[in-house]
Amino acid sequence: MNSYIFITTEGFTFQPGSESAEPDIENCQVIGFAKGNNIDEAFEKLMAENKYLLKTSFDEITGYELRHHDYRKSSKTFCLSARREASEG
């Protein structure tokens, strides 16, 4: 099995002690880690183990194989909005 990391570029963060109403940093956030024979299987495991993700406002989640020498070639983006619609329907 291969190991994958799933991240999103959606959202913002504040520096510790920030008093600003505006976010300080636009960044990537780690959604989680999962293993699978391929990225699709790993994403399904991630979603099965973290059902709360469908209740968040995140939509685009990109997965990367951790051991791949060229991570861009191993990446794939998933959209939670379509999954939310399917689970509500």
Coordinates of all heavy atoms in Angstrom, one line a residue:
M1 N 0.8 -1.2 0.0 CA 0.0 0.0 0.0 C 0.9 1.2 0.0 O 1.9 1.3 0.6 CB -0.9 0.0 1.2 CG -2.1 -0.9 1.1 SD -3.3 -0.3 2.3 CE -4.5 -1.5 2.0
N2 N 0.4 2.3 -0.6 CA 1.1 3.5 -0.7 C 0.4 4.5 0.3 O -0.7 4.4 0.7 CB 1.0 4.1 -2.1 CG 1.6 3.2 -3.1 OD1 2.6 2.6 -2.9 ND2 0.9 3.1 -4.3
S3 N 1.2 5.5 0.7 CA 0.8 6.5 1.7 C 0.5 7.8 1.0 O 1.3 8.2 0.1 CB 1.8 6.7 2.8 OG 2.0 5.6 3.5
Y4 N -0.5 8.5 1.3 CA -0.9 9.7 0.7 C -1.2 10.8 1.8 O -1.7 10.5 2.9 CB -2.2 9.5 -0.1 CG -2.0 8.6 -1.3 CD1 -2.1 7.2 -1.1 CD2 -1.6 9.0 -2.5 CE1 -1.9 6.3 -2.1 CE2 -1.4 8.1 -3.6 CZ -1.6 6.8 -3.4 OH -1.4 5.9 -4.4
I5 N -1.0 12.0 1.4 CA -1.4 13.2 2.2 C -2.4 13.9 1.4 O -2.4 14.0 0.2 CB -0.2 14.1 2.5 CG1 -0.6 15.2 3.5 CG2 0.5 14.7 1.3 CD1 0.5 16.1 4.0
F6 N -3.5 14.4 2.1 CA -4.5 15.2 1.4 C -4.6 16.6 2.0 O -4.6 16.7 3.3 CB -5.9 14.5 1.6 CG -5.9 13.1 0.9 CD1 -5.5 12.0 1.5 CD2 -6.3 13.1 -0.4 CE1 -5.5 10.8 0.9 CE2 -6.4 11.9 -1.1 CZ -6.0 10.7 -0.4
I7 N -4.5 17.6 1.1 CA -4.5 19.0 1.6 C -5.5 19.8 0.8 O -6.1 19.4 -0.2 CB -3.1 19.6 1.4 CG1 -2.7 19.7 -0.1 CG2 -2.0 18.8 2.1 CD1 -1.5 20.5 -0.4
T8 N -5.7 21.0 1.4 CA -6.6 22.0 0.7 C -5.9 23.3 0.7 O -5.2 23.6 1.7 CB -8.0 22.0 1.2 OG1 -8.8 22.9 0.4 CG2 -8.0 22.5 2.7
T9 N -6.1 24.1 -0.3 CA -5.6 25.5 -0.3 C -6.8 26.5 0.1 O -6.6 27.7 0.1 CB -5.1 25.9 -1.6 OG1 -6.1 25.8 -2.6 CG2 -3.8 25.1 -2.0
E10 N -7.9 25.9 0.4 CA -9.1 26.7 0.8 C -8.9 27.1 2.3 O -8.4 26.3 3.1 CB -10.4 26.0 0.6 CG -10.6 25.6 -0.8 CD -11.8 24.7 -1.0 OE1 -12.1 23.9 -0.1 OE2 -12.4 24.8 -2.0
G11 N -9.3 28.3 2.6 CA -9.3 28.7 4.0 C -8.1 29.6 4.3 O -7.2 29.7 3.5
F12 N -8.1 30.2 5.5 CA -7.0 31.1 5.9 C -6.7 30.8 7.4 O -7.5 30.2 8.1 CB -7.5 32.5 5.8 CG -7.9 32.9 4.4 CD1 -9.1 32.8 3.9 CD2 -6.9 33.4 3.6 CE1 -9.5 33.1 2.6 CE2 -7.2 33.8 2.3 CZ -8.5 33.6 1.8
T13 N -5.6 31.3 7.8 CA -5.2 31.1 9.2 C -4.8 32.4 9.8 O -4.5 33.4 9.1 CB -4.1 30.1 9.4 OG1 -3.0 30.5 8.7 CG2 -4.5 28.7 9.0
F14 N -4.8 32.5 11.1 CA -4.3 33.7 11.8 C -3.1 33.3 12.6 O -3.0 32.2 13.1 CB -5.4 34.1 12.8 CG -6.7 34.6 12.2 CD1 -7.7 33.7 11.8 CD2 -6.9 36.0 11.9 CE1 -8.8 34.2 11.2 CE2 -8.0 36.4 11.3 CZ -9.0 35.5 10.9
Q15 N -2.2 34.2 12.7 CA -1.0 34.0 13.5 C -1.4 34.0 15.0 O -2.4 34.7 15.4 CB 0.0 35.1 13.3 CG 0.5 35.2 11.9 CD 1.5 36.3 11.7 OE1 2.5 36.4 12.5 NE2 1.3 37.2 10.8
P16 N -0.7 33.3 15.8 CA -1.0 33.3 17.3 C -1.0 34.7 17.8 O -0.1 35.5 17.5 CB 0.1 32.5 17.9 CG 0.6 31.6 16.8 CD 0.4 32.4 15.5
G17 N -2.0 35.1 18.6 CA -2.0 36.4 19.2 C -2.6 37.5 18.3 O -2.6 38.6 18.6
S18 N -3.0 37.1 17.0 CA -3.5 38.1 16.1 C -4.8 38.7 16.6 O -5.7 38.0 17.0 CB -3.7 37.5 14.7 OG -4.2 38.4 13.8
E19 N -4.9 40.0 16.5 CA -6.2 40.7 16.8 C -6.9 41.2 15.6 O -7.9 41.9 15.7 CB -5.9 41.8 17.8 CG -5.3 41.2 19.1 CD -5.0 42.3 20.2 OE1 -5.6 43.4 20.0 OE2 -4.3 42.0 21.1
S20 N -6.4 40.9 14.4 CA -6.9 41.4 13.2 C -8.2 40.6 12.8 O -8.3 39.4 13.1 CB -5.9 41.2 12.1 OG -6.5 41.5 10.8
A21 N -9.1 41.3 12.2 CA -10.4 40.7 11.8 C -10.1 39.9 10.4 O -10.8 39.1 10.1 CB -11.5 41.7 11.6
E22 N -9.0 40.3 9.8 CA -8.7 39.7 8.5 C -7.6 38.6 8.7 O -6.7 38.8 9.6 CB -8.1 40.8 7.6 CG -9.1 41.8 7.1 CD -10.2 41.3 6.3 OE1 -10.0 40.4 5.5 OE2 -11.4 41.7 6.6
P23 N -7.7 37.5 8.0 CA -6.7 36.5 8.2 C -5.3 37.0 7.8 O -5.2 37.8 6.9 CB -7.1 35.4 7.2 CG -8.5 35.7 6.8 CD -8.7 37.2 7.1
D24 N -4.3 36.5 8.5 CA -2.9 36.9 8.2 C -2.3 36.1 7.1 O -1.4 36.7 6.4 CB -2.1 36.7 9.5 CG -2.6 37.5 10.7 OD1 -2.9 38.7 10.4 OD2 -2.6 37.0 11.8
I25 N -2.6 34.9 7.0 CA -1.9 34.0 6.0 C -2.8 33.2 5.2 O -3.7 32.6 5.7 CB -0.9 33.1 6.8 CG1 0.0 33.9 7.7 CG2 -0.2 32.1 5.9 CD1 0.9 33.1 8.6
E26 N -2.6 33.2 3.9 CA -3.3 32.2 3.0 C -2.3 31.0 2.9 O -1.1 31.2 2.6 CB -3.5 32.9 1.7 CG -4.3 32.0 0.7 CD -4.5 32.7 -0.6 OE1 -4.4 33.9 -0.7 OE2 -4.9 32.0 -1.5
N27 N -2.8 29.8 3.1 CA -1.9 28.7 3.2 C -2.6 27.4 2.8 O -3.8 27.4 2.5 CB -1.3 28.6 4.5 CG -2.3 28.3 5.6 OD1 -3.5 28.2 5.4 ND2 -1.8 28.1 6.8
C28 N -1.9 26.3 2.9 CA -2.5 25.0 2.7 C -2.7 24.4 4.1 O -2.0 24.7 5.0 CB -1.5 24.1 2.0 SG -1.1 24.6 0.3
Q29 N -3.8 23.6 4.1 CA -4.1 22.9 5.4 C -4.1 21.4 5.1 O -4.7 21.0 4.1 CB -5.5 23.4 5.9 CG -5.5 24.9 6.2 CD -6.8 25.3 6.7 OE1 -7.3 24.7 7.7 NE2 -7.4 26.3 6.1
V30 N -3.6 20.7 6.0 CA -3.6 19.2 5.9 C -4.9 18.7 6.4 O -5.4 19.0 7.4 CB -2.5 18.6 6.8 CG1 -2.6 17.1 6.8 CG2 -1.1 19.0 6.3
I31 N -5.6 18.0 5.5 CA -6.9 17.4 5.8 C -6.7 16.0 6.4 O -7.4 15.7 7.4 CB -7.7 17.2 4.5 CG1 -8.0 18.6 3.9 CG2 -9.0 16.5 4.8 CD1 -8.8 19.6 4.8
G32 N -5.7 15.3 6.0 CA -5.5 14.0 6.6 C -4.5 13.1 5.8 O -4.0 13.5 4.7
F33 N -4.3 12.0 6.3 CA -3.4 11.0 5.7 C -4.2 9.7 5.5 O -5.0 9.4 6.3 CB -2.1 10.7 6.6 CG -1.3 11.9 6.8 CD1 -1.6 12.8 7.8 CD2 -0.2 12.2 6.0 CE1 -0.8 13.9 8.1 CE2 0.6 13.3 6.2 CZ 0.3 14.2 7.2
A34 N -3.8 8.9 4.5 CA -4.5 7.6 4.3 C -3.6 6.8 3.4 O -2.7 7.3 2.7 CB -5.9 7.8 3.6
K35 N -3.8 5.5 3.5 CA -3.1 4.5 2.7 C -4.1 3.8 1.7 O -5.2 3.6 2.0 CB -2.4 3.5 3.6 CG -1.3 4.0 4.4 CD -0.5 2.9 5.1 CE 0.6 3.6 5.9 NZ 1.5 2.6 6.5
G36 N -3.5 3.4 0.6 CA -4.3 2.7 -0.4 C -3.4 2.1 -1.5 O -2.3 2.5 -1.6
N37 N -4.0 1.3 -2.3 CA -3.3 0.7 -3.5 C -3.1 1.8 -4.5 O -2.3 1.7 -5.4 CB -4.0 -0.5 -4.0 CG -3.9 -1.7 -3.1 OD1 -2.9 -1.9 -2.5 ND2 -5.0 -2.4 -2.9
N38 N -4.0 2.8 -4.5 CA -3.9 4.0 -5.4 C -4.6 5.2 -4.7 O -5.1 5.0 -3.6 CB -4.6 3.7 -6.7 CG -6.0 3.2 -6.6 OD1 -6.8 3.9 -5.9 ND2 -6.4 2.1 -7.1
I39 N -4.5 6.3 -5.3 CA -5.0 7.5 -4.7 C -6.5 7.5 -4.5 O -7.0 8.0 -3.5 CB -4.5 8.8 -5.5 CG1 -4.6 10.0 -4.6 CG2 -5.2 8.9 -6.8 CD1 -3.9 11.2 -5.2
D40 N -7.2 6.9 -5.4 CA -8.7 6.9 -5.2 C -9.1 6.0 -4.0 O -9.9 6.4 -3.2 CB -9.3 6.3 -6.5 CG -9.1 7.3 -7.7 OD1 -9.6 8.4 -7.6 OD2 -8.5 6.8 -8.7
E41 N -8.4 4.9 -3.8 CA -8.7 4.0 -2.7 C -8.3 4.7 -1.4 O -9.1 4.7 -0.4 CB -7.9 2.7 -2.8 CG -8.2 1.7 -1.7 CD -7.4 0.4 -1.9 OE1 -7.7 -0.3 -2.9 OE2 -6.5 0.1 -1.1
A42 N -7.2 5.4 -1.4 CA -6.8 6.2 -0.2 C -7.8 7.3 0.1 O -8.1 7.5 1.3 CB -5.4 6.7 -0.4
F43 N -8.3 8.0 -0.9 CA -9.3 9.0 -0.6 C -10.6 8.4 -0.1 O -11.2 9.0 0.9 CB -9.6 9.8 -1.9 CG -10.5 10.9 -1.7 CD1 -10.2 12.1 -1.0 CD2 -11.8 10.8 -2.2 CE1 -11.1 13.1 -0.8 CE2 -12.7 11.9 -2.0 CZ -12.3 13.0 -1.3
E44 N -11.0 7.3 -0.6 CA -12.2 6.6 0.0 C -12.0 6.3 1.4 O -12.9 6.4 2.2 CB -12.6 5.4 -0.9 CG -13.1 5.8 -2.3 CD -14.3 6.7 -2.3 OE1 -15.2 6.6 -1.4 OE2 -14.3 7.6 -3.1
K45 N -10.8 5.8 1.8 CA -10.5 5.4 3.2 C -10.5 6.7 4.0 O -11.1 6.7 5.1 CB -9.2 4.7 3.3 CG -9.3 3.3 2.8 CD -8.0 2.6 3.0 CE -8.1 1.1 2.5 NZ -6.9 0.4 2.7
L46 N -9.9 7.8 3.5 CA -9.9 9.0 4.3 C -11.3 9.5 4.6 O -11.7 9.9 5.7 CB -9.2 10.1 3.5 CG -9.2 11.5 4.1 CD1 -8.1 11.6 5.1 CD2 -9.0 12.5 3.0
M47 N -12.2 9.4 3.6 CA -13.6 9.9 3.7 C -14.4 9.0 4.7 O -15.1 9.4 5.5 CB -14.3 10.0 2.4 CG -13.7 11.1 1.5 SD -13.6 12.7 2.2 CE -15.3 13.0 2.5
A48 N -14.1 7.7 4.6 CA -14.8 6.7 5.4 C -14.4 6.9 6.9 O -15.3 6.7 7.8 CB -14.5 5.3 5.0
E49 N -13.2 7.2 7.1 CA -12.7 7.4 8.5 C -12.9 8.8 9.1 O -12.7 9.0 10.3 CB -11.2 7.1 8.6 CG -10.9 5.6 8.3 CD -9.4 5.3 8.1 OE1 -8.6 6.2 8.2 OE2 -9.1 4.1 7.8
N50 N -13.3 9.7 8.2 CA -13.5 11.1 8.6 C -14.8 11.7 8.0 O -14.7 12.7 7.3 CB -12.3 12.0 8.2 CG -11.0 11.5 8.8 OD1 -10.7 11.8 9.9 ND2 -10.2 10.7 8.0
K51 N -15.9 11.1 8.3 CA -17.2 11.5 7.7 C -17.5 13.0 8.0 O -18.3 13.6 7.2 CB -18.3 10.6 8.2 CG -18.1 9.1 7.8 CD -19.2 8.3 8.3 CE -19.0 6.8 8.0 NZ -18.8 6.4 6.7
Y52 N -17.0 13.6 9.1 CA -17.3 14.9 9.4 C -16.8 15.9 8.3 O -17.3 17.0 8.2 CB -16.6 15.4 10.7 CG -15.1 15.5 10.5 CD1 -14.5 16.7 10.2 CD2 -14.2 14.4 10.7 CE1 -13.1 16.8 10.1 CE2 -12.9 14.5 10.6 CZ -12.3 15.7 10.3 OH -11.0 15.9 10.1
L53 N -15.9 15.4 7.4 CA -15.4 16.3 6.3 C -16.5 16.8 5.4 O -16.4 17.9 4.9 CB -14.3 15.6 5.5 CG -13.0 15.4 6.2 CD1 -12.1 14.5 5.4 CD2 -12.3 16.7 6.5
L54 N -17.6 16.0 5.3 CA -18.7 16.4 4.4 C -19.5 17.5 5.1 O -20.2 18.2 4.4 CB -19.6 15.2 4.1 CG -19.0 14.1 3.2 CD1 -20.0 13.0 3.1 CD2 -18.6 14.7 1.9
K55 N -19.3 17.8 6.3 CA -20.0 18.8 7.0 C -19.2 20.1 7.1 O -19.7 21.1 7.6 CB -20.3 18.4 8.5 CG -21.3 17.3 8.5 CD -21.6 16.8 9.9 CE -22.6 15.6 9.9 NZ -22.9 15.1 11.2
T56 N -18.0 20.1 6.5 CA -17.1 21.3 6.5 C -17.4 22.1 5.2 O -18.2 21.6 4.4 CB -15.6 20.9 6.5 OG1 -15.3 20.3 5.3 CG2 -15.3 20.0 7.7
S57 N -16.9 23.2 5.1 CA -17.0 24.0 3.9 C -15.9 23.8 2.9 O -15.9 24.5 1.9 CB -17.2 25.5 4.3 OG -16.0 26.0 4.9
F58 N -15.0 22.9 3.2 CA -13.9 22.6 2.2 C -14.5 21.9 1.0 O -15.5 21.2 1.1 CB -12.9 21.7 2.8 CG -12.1 22.3 3.9 CD1 -12.1 21.7 5.2 CD2 -11.3 23.4 3.7 CE1 -11.3 22.3 6.2 CE2 -10.6 24.0 4.8 CZ -10.6 23.4 6.0
D59 N -14.0 22.2 -0.2 CA -14.5 21.6 -1.4 C -13.3 20.8 -2.1 O -13.3 19.6 -2.2 CB -15.1 22.5 -2.3 CG -15.8 21.9 -3.5 OD1 -16.2 20.7 -3.4 OD2 -15.8 22.5 -4.6
E60 N -12.3 21.6 -2.5 CA -11.2 21.0 -3.2 C -10.1 20.4 -2.3 O -9.5 21.2 -1.6 CB -10.6 21.9 -4.2 CG -11.5 22.2 -5.4 CD -10.8 23.0 -6.5 OE1 -9.6 23.4 -6.3 OE2 -11.5 23.3 -7.5
I61 N -10.0 19.1 -2.4 CA -8.9 18.4 -1.6 C -8.0 17.7 -2.6 O -8.5 17.0 -3.5 CB -9.5 17.4 -0.7 CG1 -10.4 18.2 0.4 CG2 -8.5 16.6 0.0 CD1 -11.1 17.2 1.3
T62 N -6.7 18.0 -2.5 CA -5.7 17.4 -3.4 C -4.9 16.4 -2.6 O -4.5 16.7 -1.5 CB -4.8 18.5 -4.0 OG1 -5.6 19.4 -4.7 CG2 -3.8 17.9 -5.0
G63 N -4.7 15.2 -3.2 CA -3.9 14.2 -2.6 C -2.6 14.0 -3.3 O -2.5 14.2 -4.5
Y64 N -1.6 13.7 -2.6 CA -0.3 13.5 -3.1 C 0.3 12.2 -2.5 O 0.2 12.0 -1.3 CB 0.7 14.6 -2.7 CG 0.3 15.9 -3.3 CD1 -0.5 16.8 -2.6 CD2 0.8 16.3 -4.6 CE1 -0.8 18.1 -3.1 CE2 0.4 17.5 -5.1 CZ -0.4 18.4 -4.4 OH -0.7 19.6 -4.9
E65 N 0.9 11.4 -3.4 CA 1.6 10.2 -2.9 C 2.9 10.7 -2.2 O 3.7 11.4 -2.7 CB 1.9 9.2 -4.0 CG 2.5 7.9 -3.5 CD 2.8 7.0 -4.7 OE1 2.4 7.2 -5.8 OE2 3.5 6.0 -4.4
L66 N 3.1 10.2 -1.0 CA 4.2 10.7 -0.2 C 5.6 10.3 -0.7 O 6.6 11.0 -0.5 CB 4.0 10.3 1.3 CG 2.9 11.0 2.0 CD1 2.7 10.5 3.4 CD2 3.2 12.5 2.0
R67 N 5.7 9.1 -1.2 CA 7.1 8.6 -1.6 C 7.4 8.9 -3.0 O 8.5 8.6 -3.5 CB 7.2 7.1 -1.3 CG 6.3 6.3 -2.3 CD 6.5 4.8 -2.0 NE 5.8 4.1 -2.9 CZ 6.3 3.5 -4.0 NH1 7.6 3.6 -4.3 NH2 5.5 2.8 -4.9
H68 N 6.5 9.5 -3.8 CA 6.7 9.7 -5.2 C 7.8 10.8 -5.4 O 7.7 11.9 -4.8 CB 5.4 10.1 -5.9 CG 5.4 9.9 -7.3 ND1 5.9 10.7 -8.2 CD2 4.8 8.9 -8.0 CE1 5.7 10.2 -9.4 NE2 5.1 9.1 -9.3
H69 N 8.7 10.6 -6.3 CA 9.8 11.6 -6.5 C 9.3 12.8 -7.2 O 9.9 13.9 -7.0 CB 11.0 10.9 -7.3 CG 10.6 10.6 -8.7 ND1 9.9 9.5 -9.0 CD2 10.8 11.3 -9.8 CE1 9.7 9.5 -10.3 NE2 10.3 10.5 -10.8
D70 N 8.3 12.7 -8.0 CA 7.7 13.9 -8.6 C 6.2 14.0 -8.1 O 5.3 13.5 -8.8 CB 7.7 13.9 -10.1 CG 7.3 15.1 -10.8 OD1 6.8 16.0 -10.1 OD2 7.4 15.3 -12.0
Y71 N 6.0 14.6 -7.0 CA 4.7 14.6 -6.3 C 3.6 15.2 -7.3 O 2.4 14.8 -7.1 CB 4.7 15.4 -5.0 CG 5.0 16.8 -5.1 CD1 3.9 17.7 -5.3 CD2 6.2 17.4 -5.1 CE1 4.1 19.1 -5.4 CE2 6.5 18.7 -5.2 CZ 5.4 19.6 -5.4 OH 5.6 20.9 -5.5
R72 N 3.9 16.1 -8.2 CA 2.9 16.7 -9.0 C 2.3 15.6 -10.0 O 1.1 15.7 -10.3 CB 3.5 17.8 -9.9 CG 3.7 19.1 -9.0 CD 4.2 20.2 -9.9 NE 4.6 21.3 -9.1 CZ 5.8 21.6 -8.7 NH1 6.8 20.8 -9.1 NH2 6.1 22.7 -7.9
K73 N 3.1 14.7 -10.4 CA 2.6 13.6 -11.3 C 1.7 12.6 -10.5 O 0.9 11.9 -11.1 CB 3.7 12.9 -11.9 CG 4.4 13.7 -13.0 CD 5.5 12.9 -13.6 CE 6.2 13.7 -14.7 NZ 7.3 12.9 -15.4
S74 N 1.8 12.6 -9.2 CA 1.1 11.6 -8.4 C -0.2 12.3 -7.8 O -0.9 11.6 -7.0 CB 1.9 11.0 -7.3 OG 2.2 12.0 -6.3
S75 N -0.4 13.5 -8.0 CA -1.5 14.2 -7.4 C -2.9 14.1 -8.1 O -2.9 13.8 -9.3 CB -1.2 15.7 -7.2 OG -1.2 16.3 -8.5
K76 N -3.9 14.3 -7.3 CA -5.3 14.2 -7.9 C -6.1 15.1 -7.0 O -6.0 15.0 -5.7 CB -5.8 12.8 -7.9 CG -7.2 12.7 -8.6 CD -7.6 11.3 -8.8 CE -9.0 11.2 -9.4 NZ -9.4 9.9 -9.7
T77 N -7.0 15.9 -7.5 CA -7.9 16.8 -6.8 C -9.3 16.2 -6.7 O -9.8 15.7 -7.7 CB -7.9 18.2 -7.4 OG1 -6.6 18.7 -7.3 CG2 -8.8 19.1 -6.6
F78 N -10.0 16.2 -5.6 CA -11.3 15.7 -5.3 C -12.2 16.9 -4.9 O -11.7 17.8 -4.2 CB -11.3 14.7 -4.3 CG -10.4 13.5 -4.6 CD1 -9.1 13.5 -4.2 CD2 -10.9 12.4 -5.3 CE1 -8.3 12.4 -4.5 CE2 -10.1 11.3 -5.6 CZ -8.8 11.3 -5.2
C79 N -13.5 16.9 -5.2 CA -14.4 17.9 -4.8 C -15.5 17.3 -3.9 O -16.2 16.4 -4.2 CB -15.1 18.5 -6.0 SG -14.0 19.5 -7.0
L80 N -15.5 17.9 -2.7 CA -16.4 17.4 -1.7 C -17.9 17.9 -2.0 O -18.8 17.2 -1.5 CB -16.1 17.9 -0.3 CG -14.7 17.4 0.3 CD1 -14.5 17.9 1.7 CD2 -14.7 15.8 0.3
S81 N -18.1 18.9 -2.7 CA -19.4 19.4 -3.0 C -20.2 18.3 -3.7 O -21.4 18.1 -3.4 CB -19.4 20.7 -3.8 OG -18.7 20.6 -5.0
A82 N -19.6 17.7 -4.7 CA -20.3 16.6 -5.4 C -20.7 15.5 -4.5 O -21.8 14.9 -4.5 CB -19.5 16.1 -6.6
R83 N -19.8 15.1 -3.6 CA -20.0 14.0 -2.6 C -21.1 14.4 -1.6 O -21.9 13.6 -1.3 CB -18.7 13.7 -1.9 CG -18.8 12.5 -1.0 CD -17.4 12.2 -0.5 NE -16.5 11.6 -1.4 CZ -16.3 10.3 -1.5 NH1 -16.8 9.5 -0.7 NH2 -15.4 9.9 -2.5
R84 N -21.1 15.7 -1.2 CA -22.2 16.2 -0.3 C -23.6 16.0 -1.0 O -24.5 15.5 -0.4 CB -22.0 17.7 0.0 CG -21.1 17.9 1.2 CD -21.1 19.4 1.6 NE -19.9 19.6 2.3 CZ -18.8 20.2 1.7 NH1 -18.8 20.6 0.4 NH2 -17.7 20.3 2.4
E85 N -23.6 16.5 -2.2 CA -24.9 16.4 -3.0 C -25.4 14.9 -3.1 O -26.5 14.6 -2.9 CB -24.7 17.0 -4.3 CG -24.6 18.5 -4.3 CD -24.2 19.1 -5.6 OE1 -24.2 18.4 -6.6 OE2 -23.8 20.3 -5.6
A86 N -24.4 14.0 -3.3 CA -24.8 12.6 -3.5 C -25.3 12.0 -2.2 O -26.2 11.2 -2.1 CB -23.6 11.8 -4.0
S87 N -24.7 12.5 -1.1 CA -25.0 11.9 0.2 C -26.4 12.5 0.7 O -27.0 11.9 1.5 CB -23.9 12.1 1.3 OG -23.9 13.5 1.6
E88 N -26.7 13.7 0.3 CA -28.0 14.3 0.7 C -29.2 13.8 -0.2 O -30.3 13.9 0.2 CB -27.9 15.8 0.6 CG -26.9 16.4 1.6 CD -26.6 17.9 1.4 OE1 -27.2 18.4 0.5 OE2 -25.8 18.4 2.2
G89 N -28.8 13.4 -1.4 CA -29.9 13.0 -2.4 C -30.4 11.7 -2.1 O -31.3 11.1 -1.7

